[in-house]
Amino acid sequence: MQLQENISLKPYHTFNTQVTAKLFAAFSSFEQMQELLEYTTNSLLILGGGSNILFTKNFDGLVVKNELKGIELVKEDDEFYYVKAAAGEVWHQLVLYCINNHYQGIENLSLIPGCVGASPIQNIGAYGVEVKDIFYALEAYHIKEKKIVQFSLADCAFGYRESVFKGKYKNQFVILNVTFRLNKKPTYHISYGAIEAALQKMKITTLSAKAISDAVIQIRSSKLPNPAELPNAGSFFKNPIISSVQFEELKKVHPTLNGYNEHNQSKKISAAWLIEQSGWKGYRKNDVGCHSKQALVLINYGNATGKEIVDLSKAIITDVQNKFGITLQREVNII
Ligand code: FAD
Ligand code: EPU
């Protein structure tokens, strides 16, 4: 473990903006983490893969990168396997490990960038499955009280791209490991989006977790930009949830608007559609832009600053608000 001063954070986050951290270190053991947290508990940022972060200025504090490793089967019963993964494991590696061992239910979450430790923070989700659906428990370190706390599913208060770790416990815990509950008997989710069409295109007739994973990887690769080529942080905004009444009013004016039942009285609508209809899809000015295949993704084409990316997001929010009366909420963590 080495504490570095004034280092560039460009390689440590997928938006690749040029910012520095006053202090930076990676830890690969619990003891190293405790030692690092002695330096400061205030101006502190816990970093995983940096795939959901946008830095708008140099970080005047300590950035600690979680590199805790290890995946193990901790128990099993008639129905489930319980798999515990350390926070610094790469998410997609965990998905592949589970698929190879026939631990099922995680396959729809293939190819989401980042680490295991961040997965409960925004309750990552894709193709009809969210982390909450396979979550069993997690262990987190309370930074100020210096103690390990166990969280159950109910404790995490998961919602759409939400959890207690983005809410009342924001910046208070380091997630150390997460235990997932995976199915022994398959219950596949293929009704979402283009999964069935992708399976057909791939000529897959026998359904399996591996086949679903391959289909999801194929769909994602066809529209989401690879951050190594076009730096980005995935969806920049959340899909808005509006009342059914507002949805019906909008639908009268915009017949192509689609909505999915969220709760009894509300619908989730596509932020990408709102942004596209507002004319931003494929937009580019200097090094900042809106992806041509997925309007929810903002791109750094080279030397964009965090401020330029935030300014673009503000312009998009204003236009969508003026056209549809809906205020988009950002999904990415702005630092
Ligand atoms: P980071 O960006 O490093 O951190 C995110 C937040 O979590 C920060 O606030 C950080 O401080 C905190 N944090 C990280 N690790 C810990 C820890 N161990 N303890 C406490 N706090 C911690 N997300 C989806 O939900 N679904 C998708 O389909 C999806 N697709 C994406 C596609 C692309 C191309 C990209 C670039 C991103 C996508 N994302 C998606 C967003 C992102 O991959 C997820 O949010 C992911 O969980 C972030 O993991 P990370 O390790 O990179 O977190
Ligand atoms: N659409 C458009 N224009 C576009 C893109 C999409 O109109 O440019 C419309 C289409 O009607 C399409 C619908 O939006 O059918 C949904 O698009 P998509 O399946 O690409 O999903 P999304 O709602 O845009 C969400 C998540 C993604 C996740 C996918 C798949 C959010 C904020 N985003 O995107 O998560 O991978 O569903 O489940 O919920 C992320 O969080 O970073 C992320 C990439």
Side-chain angles (χ1 to χ4, degrees):
M1 182 186 71
Q2 193 195 353
L3 195 60
Q4 295 171 275
E5 281 179 59
N6 296 319
I7 72 142
S8 170
L9 289 174
K10 202 172 157 100
Y12 297 110
H13 70 295
T14 61
F15 251 129
N16 276 174
T17 57
Q18 185 54 274
V19 281
T20 57
K22 191 173 169 190
L23 293 169
F24 177 92
F27 63 89
S28 53
S29 73
F30 181 72
E31 292 71 27
Q32 285 181 348
M33 181 199 73
Q34 281 185 310
E35 202 182 310
L36 278 172
L37 296 183
E38 292 300 324
Y39 284 94
T40 177
T41 55
N42 290 320
S43 201
L44 177 71
L45 177 73
I46 316 296
L47 196 62
S51 63
N52 207 22
I53 283 185
L54 176 62
F55 292 98
T56 53
K57 50 184 179 303
N58 291 337
F59 192 78
D60 188 27
L62 171 64
V63 174
V64 286
K65 185 163 160 45
N66 188 324
E67 292 185 347
L68 297 172
K69 297 287 183 197
I71 303 178
E72 60 172 326
L73 178 68
V74 286
K75 70 171 180 175
E76 63 182 289
D77 55 30
D78 289 348
E79 278 183 84
F80 302 109
Y81 296 108
Y82 298 81
V83 177
K84 184 173 177 177
E89 287 288 342
V90 171
W91 176 261
H92 186 60
Q93 295 306 318
L94 171 69
V95 174
L96 294 178
Y97 174 90
C98 291
I99 291 171
N100 286 339
N101 286 287
H102 306 289
Y103 307 155
Q104 301 170 97
I106 198 172
E107 54 277 358
N108 293 51
L109 300 176
S110 293
L111 213 61
I112 296 181
C115 296
V116 165
S119 65
I121 302 234
Q122 72 156 10
N123 179 27
I124 58 169
Y127 298 94
V129 174
E130 291 180 333
V131 144
K132 72 168 172 47
D133 302 321
I134 51 166
F135 180 93
Y136 182 66
L138 68 76
E139 284 185 316
Y141 182 73
H142 194 293
I143 296 167
K144 291 235 160 93
E145 292 177 9
K146 300 185 180 186
K147 63 175 189 194
I148 294 177
V149 181
Q150 319 279 332
F151 286 80
S152 68
L153 179 65
D155 296 332
C156 293
F158 289 124
Y160 166 60
R161 297 296 191 271
E162 282 299 339
S163 76
V164 280
F165 303 104
K166 277 182 85 175
K168 66 175 177 176
Y169 295 145
K170 192 173 165 65
N171 298 333
Q172 290 186 31
F173 285 94
V174 182
I175 294 178
L176 300 172
N177 58 66
V178 185
T179 302
F180 299 95
R181 199 181 71 161
L182 286 319
N183 297 318
K184 288 194 164 175
K185 283 199 203 106
T187 36
Y188 299 130
H189 301 277
I190 59 163
S191 58
Y192 187 97
I195 295 185
E196 275 178 287
L199 288 167
Q200 273 173 20
K201 205 170 150 196
M202 293 161 80
K203 299 195 173 18
I204 287 164
T205 46
T206 312
L207 216 48
S208 66
K210 170 81 169 64
I212 293 173
S213 171
D214 288 346
V216 168
I217 288 172
Q218 192 273 323
I219 300 166
R220 293 182 68 95
S221 308
S222 72
K223 56 179 160 186
L224 289 169
N226 178 351
E229 290 156 15
L230 287 176
N232 73 88
S235 300
F236 200 89
F237 305 96
K238 293 186 196 178
N239 284 329
I241 296 168
I242 60 173
S243 73
S244 304
V245 174
Q246 188 181 9
F247 176 77
E248 292 309 328
E249 290 300 317
L250 277 171
K251 186 94 180 156
K252 280 183 206 155
V253 190
H254 308 281
T256 56
L257 174 69
N258 279 322
Y260 308 91
N261 282 342
E262 186 64 12
H263 303 290
N264 283 345
Q265 305 293 321
S266 57
K267 299 257 186 201
K268 189 191 273 179
I269 59 171
S270 158
W273 185 89
L274 298 171
I275 296 167
E276 184 172 344
Q277 297 298 312
S278 303
W280 287 100
K281 190 171 181 174
Y283 168 90
R284 176 173 176 178
K285 186 181 175 197
N286 301 327
D287 276 350
V288 64
C290 179
H291 191 45
S292 57
K293 293 184 187 161
Q294 223 308 352
L296 254 188
V297 181
L298 303 190
I299 307 273
N300 171 12
Y301 284 99
N303 293 313
T305 62
K307 183 179 177 307
E308 285 173 309
I309 297 166
V310 170
D311 286 348
L312 172 60
S313 76
K314 284 182 185 164
I316 292 172
I317 291 171
T318 302
D319 275 6
V320 169
Q321 174 68 48
N322 289 341
K323 194 169 165 66
F324 297 101
I326 293 171
T327 309
L328 292 178
Q329 306 292 331
R330 295 184 185 93
E331 188 211 84
V332 171
N333 297 283
I334 314 270
I335 311 278

